[in-house]
Amino acid sequence: MTTASYDAQEAAGARPAAPFFVYVEGPRDGDILRGWARQLSRELARRLGERLVILGGRQPARAVSHLDEQLAAGRPARGLCVLDRDVSAGPIEAPGAEVGLEIHVWERRHIEAYLLEPDVIRRALRITDRRLTRKLDELLTVEGARHRDSAPRFDAKRLLHRNGPIARLSGRAVDPGSIARAMREDEIAPEVRGLLARIGTGLGIPPREVVIRNGSS
């Protein structure tokens, strides 16, 4: 099976002419995104960290204002704004392409919904007790069914809250960023890998195709 990854070495002239920024709603979103990026390329994670801008909420207008400020200072820039779908917050008014801003809205309600992989959560929380493992699997099976039945409204933030169901079950505070960092490349959702490919291109990191072999070769 093939998936997009990144060459850790810079190609000559790979950097874009205009700076490229990645806008996220909050610090936790940025931590999750960097955790995934690190699984593909440390260079991608490093550059992403340098160009990450926290909006302080689901406010793409702030990303537009930031790009306008760059232009006014003689530094025309481009950007990608990553937002939760969160249907309860209402529709998003996308800015025109002329401002140099793309918007990615997650197919699922929250970015945290892409972390709900039982094996990954067990690794991140270092759960080895069989009884806890069984209870965690049961919890995630029930929650997974709810997610499939109502993906746009499924509240993964509640499930992964520091005092939420998984934290109460495991007796440990849950750090979504650590779950992202515990994911292997082939465990990262295709939508996430596609987004990271777009970010890598914007940051001037040339993509390459890699083959992931599952099981015996």
Side-chain angles (χ1 to χ4, degrees):
M1 121 183 208
T2 60
T3 184
S5 188
Y6 304 95
D7 194 334
Q9 299 179 348
E10 269 187 51
R15 286 185 180 275
F20 184 84
F21 294 93
V22 179
Y23 303 92
V24 294
E25 295 185 25
R28 186 163 73 174
D29 295 41
D31 193 30
I32 293 171
L33 207 55
R34 285 196 307 272
W36 284 324
R38 186 178 179 185
Q39 305 314 308
L40 303 183
S41 162
R42 289 183 181 273
E43 178 69 3
L44 174 62
R46 182 185 69 79
R47 289 202 207 171
L48 173 58
E50 293 172 350
R51 294 295 183 178
L52 199 63
V53 179
I54 307 301
L55 297 176
R58 191 170 177 266
Q59 304 181 76
R62 290 188 174 181
V64 175
S65 296
H66 181 262
L67 290 178
D68 285 343
E69 290 170 3
Q70 300 297 310
L71 181 61
R75 299 186 299 268
R78 300 174 299 118
L80 176 64
C81 186
V82 183
L83 302 173
D84 286 341
R85 177 163 298 277
D86 204 350
V87 293
S88 63
I92 296 169
E93 293 185 10
E98 66 276 4
V99 302
L101 181 68
E102 295 180 72
I103 289 186
H104 180 87
V105 179
W106 294 114
E107 293 177 4
R108 304 175 190 178
R109 180 178 177 182
H110 299 133
I111 188 174
E112 289 87 350
Y114 297 85
L115 300 173
L116 302 182
E117 296 292 337
D119 290 344
V120 179
I121 291 174
R122 284 197 296 271
R123 286 201 304 271
L125 296 180
R126 299 180 181 178
I127 294 175
T128 57
D129 181 274
R130 291 184 179 180
R131 182 181 61 84
L132 280 180
T133 295
R134 185 172 61 255
K135 288 188 174 182
L136 178 63
D137 287 347
E138 290 172 355
L139 171 65
L140 291 175
T141 297
V142 171
E143 295 291 349
R146 290 177 181 169
H147 174 226
R148 288 190 294 275
D149 291 342
S150 60
R153 296 185 178 277
F154 181 76
D155 190 355
K157 287 183 184 291
R158 172 192 62 81
L159 189 62
L160 293 174
H161 189 272
R162 59 178 294 109
N163 297 316
I166 293 178
R168 293 196 299 271
L169 176 64
S170 65
R172 299 179 177 90
V174 177
D175 173 20
S178 70
I179 298 175
R181 290 188 292 275
M183 279 187 160
R184 295 189 296 264
E185 183 175 347
D186 61 332
E187 293 172 323
I188 299 174
E191 182 189 355
V192 174
R193 295 200 303 268
L195 175 65
L196 290 171
R198 289 168 63 189
I199 291 173
T201 298
L203 293 172
I205 302 175
R208 62 180 172 84
E209 290 297 310
V210 296
V211 177
I212 300 175
R213 294 180 174 84
N214 296 317
S216 58
S217 56

